[in-house]
Every structure is written in C-alpha cells, then in structure tokens.
Amino acid sequence: MSDYGSGAFGLGIGIFIVGVIVYLGVLALALWIGYLIMRTAVKNGILLADAQRGRGSGFGPYPPQPPQGYPGQPGSPPTR
C-alpha cells in the first residue's frame, strides 16, 4: 500500500493547478504589456510621420510663429 493518504495526493494536485493558473496569468500579463508597448510605439510613429509630412501639430519643419495681436497690445509687433 502507499504511505501517502488521499489528502496528500489532493494537496499535490491543488498545488499543480495553482501553479498552472499563476503561469498562465504571468504569460497573459507579459503579452498584454507587450501589446501596450507596441500600440504606443505604432501610435507615436504614425504621429511623427504625419508631423513630418506637415499634417500634424506640434512638430514640423518650421519653428512656431510668435503670437500675433492687435497693434498696441502687449506682445504684438511694434508699429511704425
């Protein structure tokens, strides 16, 4: 006969099932984080490409223009 009782056998199966669940959880988390990193990289690449073509905002081949206002306002170009 076996020296192990049915309780020890059940405990071994329980530990195995918990281990498999933890393994699958870590694998799913790694895949999800990888997906988020790739999604962000693609989005930033598309935004950068649009900006270099001149259709985006924020980046571009020209520096930002100074603010334009009515003559006599603070920050407006001087009048002659």
Side-chain angles (χ1 to χ4, degrees), residues 53-79:
R53 276 184 279 177
R55 294 190 327 191
S57 61
F59 299 108
Y62 304 109
Q65 296 295 320
Q68 301 292 326
Y70 295 107
Q73 281 185 330
S76 63
T79 58

Side-chain angles (χ1 to χ4, degrees), residues 45-57 59-61:
I46 289 172
L47 290 176
L48 184 62
D50 284 345
Q52 287 177 350
R53 276 184 279 177
R55 294 190 327 191
S57 61
F59 299 108

Side-chain angles (χ1 to χ4, degrees), residues 12-59:
I13 290 177
I15 290 174
F16 176 75
I17 290 173
V18 168
V20 168
I21 290 172
V22 168
Y23 172 76
L24 291 175
V26 168
L27 186 63
L29 183 65
L31 288 174
W32 183 55
I33 290 173
Y35 163 74
L36 291 178
I37 291 171
M38 290 294 179
R39 186 182 71 173
T40 303
V42 169
K43 185 179 85 172
N44 288 341
I46 289 172
L47 290 176
L48 184 62
D50 284 345
Q52 287 177 350
R53 276 184 279 177
R55 294 190 327 191
S57 61
F59 299 108

